Amino acid sequence: MSKWLVKTEPGDYSIDDLKRDSTTLWVGVRNYQARNYLLEMKVGDEVLFYHSNAEPSGVVGVCKVAEKPEPDKTQFDQKSIYFDEKATKEKPRWFCPKLRFVKKFNKLIPLSELRTEKGLQKMGVLQKGSRLSVLPVTEAEFKIVLRLAQ
DNA sequence: GCCAACGTTGGC
DNA sequence: GCCAACGTTGGC
């Protein structure tokens, strides 16, 4: 099973929102590389939940894949900010898995702390210029983050 | 297919 | 708010 990390701005959708909702469709990803990662997600995969553009930014909890990706309905909705005029129902461009809340860490693990961890130096989210909102995480990296959360 | 212009992301 | 990094668009 694979591990992942998803980014979200807490003002848009935070770990507390996911805790309240229990599950959510991860709509709105509009980057092909990120989409391809979403499509690789399998039910049961564990996902680090990351707050970006936050004070401070960092990993705040864990969720998991509850349902495999389905076409993201917002791409067909003209009123949605995620509307994509080039997408059709016959040939959807964008997909969203359903994510289920697992836990919120007692403390946020800030980027600065992740950066000082030896085992995390190659972690995707720490790489310079990394802007992908969906990223793979290795088993070892995932374990280290969980340890830091304790 | 190249590449300039433009838009977005996201740390700081 | 700044700006580096990267993605996308569209003229040619």
Side-chain angles (χ1 to χ4, degrees):
Chain A
M1 280 218 289
S2 307
K3 310 287 189 202
W4 308 95
L5 178 146
V6 295
K7 291 183 191 173
T8 174
E9 300 198 17
D12 290 342
Y13 197 84
S14 71
I15 187 78
D16 292 320
D17 293 324
L18 182 59
K19 185 176 184 182
R20 177 198 65 214
D21 296 342
S22 178
T23 65
T24 191
L25 287 170
W26 205 249
V27 300
V29 171
R30 294 293 181 269
N31 170 286
Y32 285 104
Q33 205 178 336
R35 178 202 67 178
N36 292 341
Y37 285 139
L38 284 183
L39 287 172
E40 289 178 33
M41 288 184 174
K42 300 277 192 315
V43 171
D45 282 0
E46 291 178 294
V47 183
L48 296 174
F49 200 91
Y50 180 91
H51 282 176
S52 61
N53 268 319
E55 294 288 337
S57 295
V59 181
V60 288
V62 177
C63 56
K64 66 180 180 185
V65 179
E67 287 175 25
K68 66 176 185 184
E70 60 183 84
D72 178 343
K73 287 199 180 74
T74 63
Q75 70 194 299
F76 310 124
D77 178 2
Q78 288 204 25
K79 285 173 292 190
S80 170
I81 55 168
Y82 300 126
F83 176 66
D84 182 343
E85 59 179 8
K86 290 176 184 161
T88 64
K89 298 209 171 167
E90 293 69 34
K91 274 204 161 185
R93 274 189 167 184
W94 308 111
F95 297 83
C96 55
K98 182 177 276 187
L99 299 182
R100 179 181 307 280
F101 176 81
V102 174
K103 66 177 154 190
K104 178 182 176 179
F105 295 156
N106 292 324
K107 61 183 180 85
L108 175 147
I109 307 166
L111 251 194
S112 56
E113 189 177 343
L114 297 176
R115 288 194 198 285
T116 63
E117 272 296 313
K118 269 244 157 57
L120 297 182
Q121 304 210 333
K122 291 183 178 167
M123 195 174 177
V125 75
L126 303 183
Q127 300 313 304
K128 191 176 174 185
S130 157
R131 300 186 334 184
L132 282 182
S133 61
V134 182
L135 291 159
V137 173
T138 68
E139 202 74 43
E141 289 163 350
F142 193 89
K143 275 188 191 151
I144 291 172
V145 173
L146 288 191
R147 175 168 54 74
L148 293 175
Q150 287 176 355

